[in-house]
Amino acid sequence: MPNTFFGWIHLLIDEYGSLFLQGAGVTMLIAVVGTVAGFVIGLLVAILRTIPIKPSAPAWQRILLRGFRTVLTVYIEVFRGTPMIVQAMVVYYGALQYLQLDMSALLAAFLVVSVNTGAYMAEIVRGGILSVDKGQKEAATAVGLTHWQSMTNVILPQAIRSILPAVGNEFVVNIKDSSVLNVISVTEVYFMSKSAAGTYLKYFEVFFITAVIYFVLTFTTTRILRLVEKKLSGKDSYTVYGSQSDSNAPIRYSPEDR
Amino acid sequence: MDSSNSPIIEILGLDKKFGRNTVLSGIDLHVPKGQVVCLIGPSGSGKSTLLRCINLLETPDAGIIRFHGQDTTQMPKGLLHAKIGMVFQQFNLFGNLDALENCVLGQMKVLRRSRIQSVGIAGKYLERVGMLPYRDARPDQLSGGQKQRVAIARALAMDPEVLLFDEPTSALDPEMVDEVLSVIRTLKDGGLTMIIVTHEMAFARDAADRVVFMDAGQLVEEGKPEALFTNPKNDRTRAFLSRSLRGHGTGLA
């Protein structure tokens, strides 16, 4: 048995290296699936929530729309107002006991992270939509586009560029927060670490390695996102102003910068 | 199609409130095909709101607006907006699309034209407003006057029967006003029906077939430009005209 810190690190990596790697893979998989699916959910929810309720519309239409908005607001409030660790338990065991639905832990993980991220994304996208000048929607309407058409062709392409840093941020949050899914035995990197630590009861050494893994994952992701953002801003007419992941990004737009 | 002397747009007893604030009351207005009507009046008199009611960007509280005799609220939205185009004070070009695509989008999505056909028509109208060389430019690469000309081409590409202009030159630097006004004049020569909210009295005077003066949400006086400008019958019209003709640029936006 080694008797130094580095000795232990060496032994643990030798013995559990593939376990850590596998866990890191699952963590990234959950983060990617959850963020992408959550982003799609967020876009849809934001489009639905911004359907204008015209006072001239028939009563049943207005009631339906209002009901719909309420349901979406409740979804956002509930999933932002409860911890993901609790959501994981409720969804996984709820499905098992009351719907006789024995999902794999990984499927439950995808579901929980997607729906949870969707609630945050919906608010981020809504903020992005509100940041686009009102005249854009009016012009789209005046040309004859439907709400859906003006959103997908005019408003969202402009909104998404401005919310890109916030979306990237959610991705990084998901890499870290998917660790809570260990409570439903998802084999992500935290769960793997727990198993590894149990053998020799070397918690500090194991979780030191875990911390390094998480940091490498988030650091790399942040750099890649920064590159993507730079690429988008490289085009002549668009810069992601006030970027959150690049301290060099301009905070304010000035036309002379071009 | 109706005969040319029947109104293309017919407004009867139009009321519009914003909350408790009455913005328009009892507006009656008939616009025959091919006529150019200029709406003038002080800021807050309801000119823009009237315009926005015509293409249902605002929903009227009472009254009826007919297009070729048909109640506009009963028309399919896409058709209504294609037939009645609009040009905004702030241009509102789609910021994510270049000049050409600005003119193509509505044609493809609303009129279901093919891409080839849409691009051809867009090019034709961009040429007509003198903006074809800038077809690949993004809105933020264009000057105000250029943006407004693209916005006019975008509206024309939908083959509208009526074009609404909401203070098309108010957001422009003075030296760019003429390039936009001259485009509008060529449209008049082409026989397009237009309703134009404007503070450019000289333009209203020489380009309009009819001038309508509005104040405090009411249609106060209307007539041929020579008659209304030289011999206004209503005191409010007289007061407004003397104010706005005294110094050019009333500071009203």
Side-chain angles (χ1 to χ4, degrees):
Chain A
M1 285 290 118
N3 49 16
T4 63
F5 170 73
F6 289 108
W8 274 111
I9 297 284
H10 194 252
L11 179 123
L12 288 167
I13 289 177
D14 265 0
E15 230 166 277
Y16 296 111
S18 64
L19 210 65
F20 280 122
L21 274 183
Q22 222 183 305
V26 172
T27 292
M28 284 310 279
L29 183 66
I30 294 172
V32 170
V33 170
T35 308
V36 171
F39 186 49
V40 173
I41 294 173
L43 287 176
L44 288 175
V45 170
I47 291 176
L48 293 172
R49 283 178 98 200
T50 49
I51 296 175
I53 299 182
K54 284 259 168 81
S56 58
W60 65 268
Q61 237 177 45
R62 274 178 291 149
I63 292 167
L64 198 75
L65 266 178
R66 264 184 221 292
F68 211 57
R69 269 192 202 180
T70 312
V71 170
L72 293 175
T73 307
V74 168
Y75 155 61
I76 293 168
E77 294 287 329
V78 166
F79 275 84
R80 281 162 35 116
T82 56
M84 193 159 75
I85 193 167
V86 176
Q87 293 163 15
M89 296 298 271
V90 169
V91 167
Y92 185 66
Y93 291 104
L96 191 62
Q97 289 173 18
Y98 288 93
L99 303 174
Q100 274 72 47
L101 196 66
D102 188 7
M103 340 181 218
S104 71
L106 192 63
L107 184 64
F110 288 159
L111 188 68
V112 169
V113 178
S114 304
V115 175
N116 178 283
T117 308
Y120 285 92
M121 290 287 194
E123 287 294 272
I124 293 172
V125 175
R126 193 167 72 115
I129 290 174
L130 291 178
S131 77
V132 176
D133 179 46
K134 251 178 64 186
Q136 296 284 308
K137 178 75 164 100
E138 281 193 349
T141 308
V143 165
L145 299 183
T146 61
H147 177 71
W148 178 268
Q149 287 171 334
S150 37
M151 278 296 160
T152 52
N153 291 287
V154 177
I155 311 296
L156 288 178
Q158 299 182 60
I160 286 172
R161 280 191 172 85
S162 70
I163 61 173
L164 216 55
V167 172
N169 198 47
E170 281 301 304
F171 184 34
V172 173
V173 166
N174 279 339
I175 294 174
K176 295 186 288 179
D177 286 5
S178 56
S179 57
V180 304
L181 296 166
N182 79 87
V183 295
I184 54 170
S185 307
V186 178
T187 54
E188 40 71 48
V189 71
Y190 181 90
F191 181 83
M192 294 303 212
S193 309
K194 258 197 339 187
S195 331
T199 324
Y200 300 103
L201 299 176
K202 285 288 168 190
Y203 285 94
F204 171 68
E205 288 79 358
V206 167
F207 281 97
F208 181 82
I209 297 172
T210 314
V212 170
I213 293 174
Y214 272 118
F215 183 74
V216 168
L217 293 181
T218 55
F219 187 81
T220 319
T221 305
T222 312
R223 299 303 117 157
I224 293 172
L225 289 174
R226 198 180 279 184
L227 276 180
V228 172
E229 228 174 274
K230 278 245 177 71
K231 192 156 174 80
L232 278 175
S233 25
K235 267 212 253 153
D236 203 25
S237 347
Y238 276 107
T239 325
V240 182
Y241 305 107
S243 162
Q244 291 168 23
S245 66
D246 188 346
S247 49
N248 293 322
I251 309 268
R252 214 165 56 80
Y253 168 69
S254 58
E256 296 89 288
D257 287 350
R258 265 218 314 276
Chain B
M1 201 58 69
D2 290 334
S3 61
S4 61
N5 53 4
S6 71
I8 189 165
I9 287 196
E10 197 179 353
I11 302 170
L12 291 169
L14 181 70
D15 287 352
K16 175 69 189 171
K17 293 187 183 73
F18 288 130
R20 282 187 202 152
N21 203 357
T22 300
V23 189
L24 294 174
S25 63
I27 303 286
D28 295 311
L29 185 67
H30 294 225
V31 181
K33 194 172 167 58
Q35 202 173 65
V36 176
V37 176
C38 280
L39 297 179
I40 62 169
S43 284
S45 56
K47 311 178 297 290
S48 292
T49 307
L50 173 58
L51 210 62
R52 294 163 60 85
C53 282
I54 295 175
N55 71 348
L56 293 184
L57 279 184
E58 302 288 352
T59 312
D61 292 310
I64 191 161
I65 300 174
R66 292 203 185 94
F67 175 74
H68 283 302
Q70 196 181 357
D71 184 349
T72 50
T73 57
Q74 304 302 318
M75 288 172 67
K77 283 280 163 63
L79 179 71
L80 173 78
H81 288 128
K83 293 288 179 197
I84 305 178
M86 185 147 188
V87 174
F88 298 87
Q89 181 179 357
Q90 298 295 339
F91 332 121
N92 297 348
L93 287 184
F94 303 135
N96 56 321
L97 303 175
D98 64 27
L100 185 78
E101 293 302 324
N102 261 279
C103 305
V104 164
L105 182 65
Q107 296 187 63
M108 289 181 67
K109 299 287 173 186
V110 182
L111 303 178
R112 308 238 158 251
R113 287 178 184 155
S114 71
R115 171 143 196 102
I116 296 171
Q117 197 189 0
S118 304
V119 168
I121 292 170
K124 182 177 102 184
Y125 286 112
L126 281 174
E127 178 155 40
R128 188 144 156 203
V129 300
M131 287 300 291
L132 193 57
Y134 297 89
R135 62 200 295 250
D136 298 325
R138 300 258 178 175
D140 57 3
Q141 297 167 323
L142 299 173
S143 73
Q146 291 174 326
K147 282 188 221 182
Q148 195 60 299
R149 280 146 65 195
V150 173
I152 293 172
R154 173 175 70 181
L156 290 172
M158 303 296 288
D159 288 333
E161 292 187 40
V162 181
L163 211 44
L164 310 174
F165 290 83
D166 189 6
E167 304 194 25
T169 60
S170 295
L172 296 178
D173 292 336
E175 69 269 22
M176 292 170 183
V177 169
D178 282 340
E179 67 184 65
V180 170
L181 292 184
S182 70
V183 166
I184 299 176
R185 282 197 183 90
T186 64
L187 299 179
K188 174 186 161 72
D189 299 337
L192 186 67
T193 312
M194 294 187 275
I195 306 176
I196 304 170
V197 172
T198 186
H199 290 293
E200 297 287 334
M201 293 304 150
F203 171 76
R205 189 168 187 159
D206 75 30
D209 296 309
R210 206 159 107 225
V211 176
V212 173
F213 172 69
M214 289 180 66
D215 190 21
Q218 287 167 328
L219 203 155
V220 177
E221 186 172 350
E222 60 170 300
K224 291 209 171 297
E226 315 87 78
L228 192 120
F229 278 104
T230 51
N231 188 19
K233 295 195 174 54
N234 190 289
D235 286 345
R236 285 195 278 177
T237 318
R238 206 171 298 135
F240 172 77
L241 286 176
S242 74
R243 251 183 296 130
S244 42
L245 294 176
R246 197 183 309 134
H248 181 70
T250 53
L252 304 173

